[in-house]
Amino acid sequence: MNKLSSIKYKITTAFAAVAILWIGFTGTNARSFSAGAPAGYCDAPSNGGSTCFTCHNDGPAPTTVAGLITSNIPMTGYSPGTTYTITATVNGPGHIRFGFEISPQDLNGNLLGTMSDLGTETMFQQSGVYITHSTNSTLNNGSKSWQFEWTAPIAGTGNVTFYGAFNITNNDGSYTGDTVLLST
């Protein structure tokens, strides 16, 4: 091999190594949203009913499941200015990675009340309109729960619905093979 061929070989090898690293860092793992769902995918009026299924769409159509969002709000309704604990729980036997996004809204898509996270397991999107999982809170064996606080809006605001979308993933770092559940 002459000197010119040797240089071309080294440049080609270096370029291939950089390309492989680039694909590894920007490939399917970058699209999996383990660092929080993008804003506006929880089936809420403000986002036109978009859900995680917009991207994770090769599995079964989203299923609505009652009881994935629970709270300590009394059956008689919220008291203005009172802070309540909201719990989001999803079950997926045999799965180890989960995600969610929730937003409390009225039928016109207005955010009602104020959400507060309770530590490092949740984070906000779009200036506090949506709450979602954080990077360090997606792994668990068979189910996952997250908690946050919600402070009720002023008197006369009316009914509030917590819109939520949940993702039970197959943990392959891609959009494929996942199950989306909806709950209010």
Side-chain angles (χ1 to χ4, degrees), residues 6 33 36 41 44 69 108 120 130 159 169 171 180:
S6 176
F33 302 119
Y41 291 92
I69 303 170
N108 295 318
T120 61
Y130 302 94
N159 293 333
T169 79
N171 199 33
V180 175

PDB file of all heavy atoms in Angstrom, residues 6 33 36 41 44 69 108 120 130 159 169 171 180:
ATOM      1  N   SER A   6      -2.712   4.661   1.930  1.00  0.00           N
ATOM      2  CA  SER A   6      -2.751   4.534   3.382  1.00  0.00           C
ATOM      3  C   SER A   6      -3.519   5.699   4.013  1.00  0.00           C
ATOM      4  O   SER A   6      -4.325   5.506   4.923  1.00  0.00           O
ATOM      5  CB  SER A   6      -1.326   4.482   3.935  1.00  0.00           C
ATOM      6  OG  SER A   6      -1.346   4.451   5.336  1.00  0.00           O
ATOM      7  N   PHE A  33     -38.125   9.159  23.864  1.00  0.00           N
ATOM      8  CA  PHE A  33     -38.716  10.065  24.843  1.00  0.00           C
ATOM      9  C   PHE A  33     -38.601   9.572  26.280  1.00  0.00           C
ATOM     10  O   PHE A  33     -39.477   9.832  27.088  1.00  0.00           O
ATOM     11  CB  PHE A  33     -40.175  10.377  24.499  1.00  0.00           C
ATOM     12  CG  PHE A  33     -40.334  10.994  23.143  1.00  0.00           C
ATOM     13  CD1 PHE A  33     -41.078  10.356  22.176  1.00  0.00           C
ATOM     14  CD2 PHE A  33     -39.728  12.197  22.837  1.00  0.00           C
ATOM     15  CE1 PHE A  33     -41.213  10.912  20.922  1.00  0.00           C
ATOM     16  CE2 PHE A  33     -39.862  12.768  21.587  1.00  0.00           C
ATOM     17  CZ  PHE A  33     -40.613  12.119  20.616  1.00  0.00           C
ATOM     18  N   GLY A  36     -38.924  12.269  29.047  1.00  0.00           N
ATOM     19  CA  GLY A  36     -40.176  13.015  29.122  1.00  0.00           C
ATOM     20  C   GLY A  36     -40.878  13.067  27.785  1.00  0.00           C
ATOM     21  O   GLY A  36     -40.245  13.230  26.751  1.00  0.00           O
ATOM     22  N   TYR A  41     -49.465  15.501  24.140  1.00  0.00           N
ATOM     23  CA  TYR A  41     -49.815  14.163  23.656  1.00  0.00           C
ATOM     24  C   TYR A  41     -50.545  13.346  24.721  1.00  0.00           C
ATOM     25  O   TYR A  41     -50.275  12.168  24.906  1.00  0.00           O
ATOM     26  CB  TYR A  41     -48.558  13.429  23.166  1.00  0.00           C
ATOM     27  CG  TYR A  41     -48.018  14.056  21.909  1.00  0.00           C
ATOM     28  CD1 TYR A  41     -47.045  15.046  21.964  1.00  0.00           C
ATOM     29  CD2 TYR A  41     -48.520  13.687  20.669  1.00  0.00           C
ATOM     30  CE1 TYR A  41     -46.584  15.648  20.811  1.00  0.00           C
ATOM     31  CE2 TYR A  41     -48.062  14.288  19.502  1.00  0.00           C
ATOM     32  CZ  TYR A  41     -47.090  15.268  19.586  1.00  0.00           C
ATOM     33  OH  TYR A  41     -46.636  15.868  18.438  1.00  0.00           O
ATOM     34  N   ALA A  44     -55.795  15.603  25.462  1.00  0.00           N
ATOM     35  CA  ALA A  44     -56.476  16.766  26.036  1.00  0.00           C
ATOM     36  C   ALA A  44     -57.043  17.672  24.946  1.00  0.00           C
ATOM     37  O   ALA A  44     -56.547  17.670  23.811  1.00  0.00           O
ATOM     38  CB  ALA A  44     -55.497  17.551  26.902  1.00  0.00           C
ATOM     39  N   ILE A  69     -55.527   7.380  36.738  1.00  0.00           N
ATOM     40  CA  ILE A  69     -55.267   8.643  37.432  1.00  0.00           C
ATOM     41  C   ILE A  69     -56.160   8.669  38.669  1.00  0.00           C
ATOM     42  O   ILE A  69     -57.385   8.596  38.555  1.00  0.00           O
ATOM     43  CB  ILE A  69     -55.581   9.858  36.532  1.00  0.00           C
ATOM     44  CG1 ILE A  69     -54.781   9.787  35.229  1.00  0.00           C
ATOM     45  CG2 ILE A  69     -55.294  11.161  37.281  1.00  0.00           C
ATOM     46  CD1 ILE A  69     -55.215  10.808  34.187  1.00  0.00           C
ATOM     47  N   ASN A 108     -62.515  23.437  26.962  1.00  0.00           N
ATOM     48  CA  ASN A 108     -61.981  24.353  25.958  1.00  0.00           C
ATOM     49  C   ASN A 108     -60.457  24.297  25.855  1.00  0.00           C
ATOM     50  O   ASN A 108     -59.860  25.050  25.104  1.00  0.00           O
ATOM     51  CB  ASN A 108     -62.420  25.791  26.266  1.00  0.00           C
ATOM     52  CG  ASN A 108     -63.912  25.948  26.141  1.00  0.00           C
ATOM     53  OD1 ASN A 108     -64.526  25.430  25.216  1.00  0.00           O
ATOM     54  ND2 ASN A 108     -64.513  26.653  27.086  1.00  0.00           N
ATOM     55  N   THR A 120     -37.740  14.232  41.655  1.00  0.00           N
ATOM     56  CA  THR A 120     -37.035  14.027  40.392  1.00  0.00           C
ATOM     57  C   THR A 120     -37.732  13.064  39.434  1.00  0.00           C
ATOM     58  O   THR A 120     -37.226  12.820  38.351  1.00  0.00           O
ATOM     59  CB  THR A 120     -35.621  13.484  40.671  1.00  0.00           C
ATOM     60  OG1 THR A 120     -35.743  12.225  41.353  1.00  0.00           O
ATOM     61  CG2 THR A 120     -34.822  14.462  41.506  1.00  0.00           C
ATOM     62  N   TYR A 130     -48.300  20.628  30.988  1.00  0.00           N
ATOM     63  CA  TYR A 130     -48.237  19.165  30.978  1.00  0.00           C
ATOM     64  C   TYR A 130     -47.197  18.699  31.987  1.00  0.00           C
ATOM     65  O   TYR A 130     -46.155  19.317  32.129  1.00  0.00           O
ATOM     66  CB  TYR A 130     -47.842  18.650  29.588  1.00  0.00           C
ATOM     67  CG  TYR A 130     -48.782  19.101  28.508  1.00  0.00           C
ATOM     68  CD1 TYR A 130     -48.522  20.251  27.775  1.00  0.00           C
ATOM     69  CD2 TYR A 130     -49.935  18.388  28.228  1.00  0.00           C
ATOM     70  CE1 TYR A 130     -49.383  20.682  26.786  1.00  0.00           C
ATOM     71  CE2 TYR A 130     -50.815  18.811  27.242  1.00  0.00           C
ATOM     72  CZ  TYR A 130     -50.536  19.963  26.531  1.00  0.00           C
ATOM     73  OH  TYR A 130     -51.408  20.388  25.561  1.00  0.00           O
ATOM     74  N   ASN A 159     -65.727  22.494  36.279  1.00  0.00           N
ATOM     75  CA  ASN A 159     -65.180  21.137  36.250  1.00  0.00           C
ATOM     76  C   ASN A 159     -63.777  21.094  35.659  1.00  0.00           C
ATOM     77  O   ASN A 159     -63.474  21.804  34.703  1.00  0.00           O
ATOM     78  CB  ASN A 159     -66.081  20.216  35.442  1.00  0.00           C
ATOM     79  CG  ASN A 159     -67.417  19.998  36.112  1.00  0.00           C
ATOM     80  OD1 ASN A 159     -67.537  20.087  37.333  1.00  0.00           O
ATOM     81  ND2 ASN A 159     -68.434  19.711  35.318  1.00  0.00           N
ATOM     82  N   THR A 169     -43.882   0.375  27.239  1.00  0.00           N
ATOM     83  CA  THR A 169     -42.952   0.152  26.132  1.00  0.00           C
ATOM     84  C   THR A 169     -42.320  -1.237  26.193  1.00  0.00           C
ATOM     85  O   THR A 169     -42.316  -1.893  27.225  1.00  0.00           O
ATOM     86  CB  THR A 169     -41.821   1.197  26.124  1.00  0.00           C
ATOM     87  OG1 THR A 169     -40.854   0.851  27.102  1.00  0.00           O
ATOM     88  CG2 THR A 169     -42.354   2.592  26.382  1.00  0.00           C
ATOM     89  N   ASN A 171     -39.170  -1.449  25.563  1.00  0.00           N
ATOM     90  CA  ASN A 171     -37.808  -1.117  25.971  1.00  0.00           C
ATOM     91  C   ASN A 171     -36.767  -1.347  24.881  1.00  0.00           C
ATOM     92  O   ASN A 171     -35.621  -1.616  25.174  1.00  0.00           O
ATOM     93  CB  ASN A 171     -37.427  -1.885  27.249  1.00  0.00           C
ATOM     94  CG  ASN A 171     -36.244  -1.271  27.964  1.00  0.00           C
ATOM     95  OD1 ASN A 171     -36.058  -0.057  27.942  1.00  0.00           O
ATOM     96  ND2 ASN A 171     -35.435  -2.101  28.605  1.00  0.00           N
ATOM     97  N   VAL A 180     -50.267   2.054  24.102  1.00  0.00           N
ATOM     98  CA  VAL A 180     -50.708   3.334  24.622  1.00  0.00           C
ATOM     99  C   VAL A 180     -52.064   3.165  25.296  1.00  0.00           C
ATOM    100  O   VAL A 180     -52.978   2.589  24.712  1.00  0.00           O
ATOM    101  CB  VAL A 180     -50.798   4.386  23.495  1.00  0.00           C
ATOM    102  CG1 VAL A 180     -51.365   5.690  24.011  1.00  0.00           C
ATOM    103  CG2 VAL A 180     -49.432   4.612  22.861  1.00  0.00           C
TER     104      VAL A 180
END
